[in-house]
Amino acid sequence: MFYAIISEDVPNSLEKRMQARPAHVERLKDLKNNGKLLVAGPHPAIDCEDPGDAGFTGSLIIAEFDSLEDAQRWADADPYIAAGVYKQVIVKPFKKVLP
């Protein structure tokens, strides 16, 4: 089943994000390479593809896991958590309807 991992950043998280990004992206690549990743990306702080110094307010990952517990465990191990980027992470089931 798919699960949505909805994360909210701490204020002024950009520097912390940039430092932890390589490890964060590597985990996403592993999901993709295993055919488990539906979509992943950050929420820009402003209405712009590249928000520059404005940074990001959080992230959304939708991926397939065996259970909610597995999805939560994966989310809890995100390098952004260890780096202090995220202040809150919500994991919940996601039902893909379209496309």
Side-chain angles (χ1 to χ4, degrees), residues 22-57:
H24 171 79
V25 170
E26 217 31 62
R27 296 177 80 232
L28 292 171
K29 286 180 181 177
D30 286 344
L31 283 177
K32 180 182 179 256
N33 292 340
N34 289 315
K36 303 284 187 177
L37 184 63
L38 182 63
V39 67
H43 300 286
I46 58 175
D47 189 11
C48 180
E49 280 281 322
D50 181 2
D53 291 340
F56 302 92
T57 62

Side-chain angles (χ1 to χ4, degrees), residues 70-91:
D70 286 346
Q72 185 69 59
R73 199 172 9 262
W74 189 91
D76 289 344
D78 195 305
Y80 280 175
I81 290 177
V85 173
Y86 292 152
K87 73 175 176 182
Q88 178 179 333
V89 178
I90 298 168
V91 180

Side-chain angles (χ1 to χ4, degrees), residues 3 8-10 14 25 27 29 38 42 50 58 64 71 82 88 93 95 97-98:
Y3 295 88
E8 184 180 352
D9 283 20
V10 298
L14 187 58
V25 170
R27 296 177 80 232
K29 286 180 181 177
L38 182 63
D50 181 2
E64 188 175 5
Q88 178 179 333
K95 180 180 177 182
V97 175
L98 294 170

